[in-house]
Amino acid sequence: MLKSHFNKGLVEAGCDEAGRGCLAGSVFAAAVILPEDYVNEGLNDSKKLTPMRRYELRDEIERDALAWAVGVVTPEEIDKINILNASILAMHRALDQLEVRPEAIIVDGNRFKPYRFIPYNTVV
């Protein structure tokens, strides 16, 4: 199971993208703030889950989250800035939409660009 937090006592947003490996189409990213010490035994690497379990977890996360949002970058934007920058931009757009302001950011991956002077950790 994933750690419940990386920065104890801070409001953390977790970010991940989807669609980066596609040859065509938009790239999407989600940002989620869960309650501190939130426990859900089903949360793990989404690639290890069945499609049905992923959909069930989506409902659970949306229900339990303090805030969540999705950012999108279009194929036209991807062509201009490249897929890595588009993935990061999608994460920034998701963070922009959160109704709760994070004090720290956790990114699934090894690359990210600073967002509003908020400290972040990348986790592979």
Side-chain angles (χ1 to χ4, degrees):
M1 188 168 125
L2 301 173
K3 291 174 74 173
S4 65
H5 60 271
F6 281 78
N7 300 282
K8 186 85 172 151
L10 296 180
V11 175
E12 292 180 316
C15 290
D16 196 5
E17 55 73 29
R20 184 171 169 181
C22 296
L23 294 176
S26 299
V27 65
F28 295 81
V32 178
I33 299 175
L34 294 168
E36 189 169 2
D37 295 325
Y38 178 75
V39 175
N40 183 322
E41 297 295 332
L43 287 180
N44 202 333
D45 185 342
S46 64
K47 293 171 189 70
K48 295 179 181 179
L49 301 171
T50 65
M52 178 185 231
R53 186 62 185 132
R54 278 195 299 272
Y55 280 107
E56 292 170 352
L57 278 171
R58 175 186 174 174
D59 291 338
E60 294 171 27
I61 292 166
E62 288 178 0
R63 178 193 68 222
D64 298 344
L66 300 176
W68 64 271
V70 175
V72 182
V73 176
T74 66
E76 295 78 19
E77 292 174 298
I78 295 168
D79 289 344
K80 290 178 185 172
I81 64 174
N82 78 42
I83 190 62
L84 173 61
N85 287 320
S87 297
I88 294 168
L89 178 58
M91 289 183 210
H92 284 207
R93 287 179 176 171
L95 290 162
D96 286 341
Q97 296 177 67
L98 290 174
E99 294 180 6
V100 175
R101 289 288 101 207
E103 299 169 324
I105 301 166
I106 307 300
V107 177
D108 181 7
N110 60 1
R111 295 291 214 25
F112 191 67
K113 292 182 180 178
Y115 176 81
R116 296 188 182 184
F117 304 103
I118 298 173
Y120 66 88
N121 295 88
T122 56
V123 181
V124 177

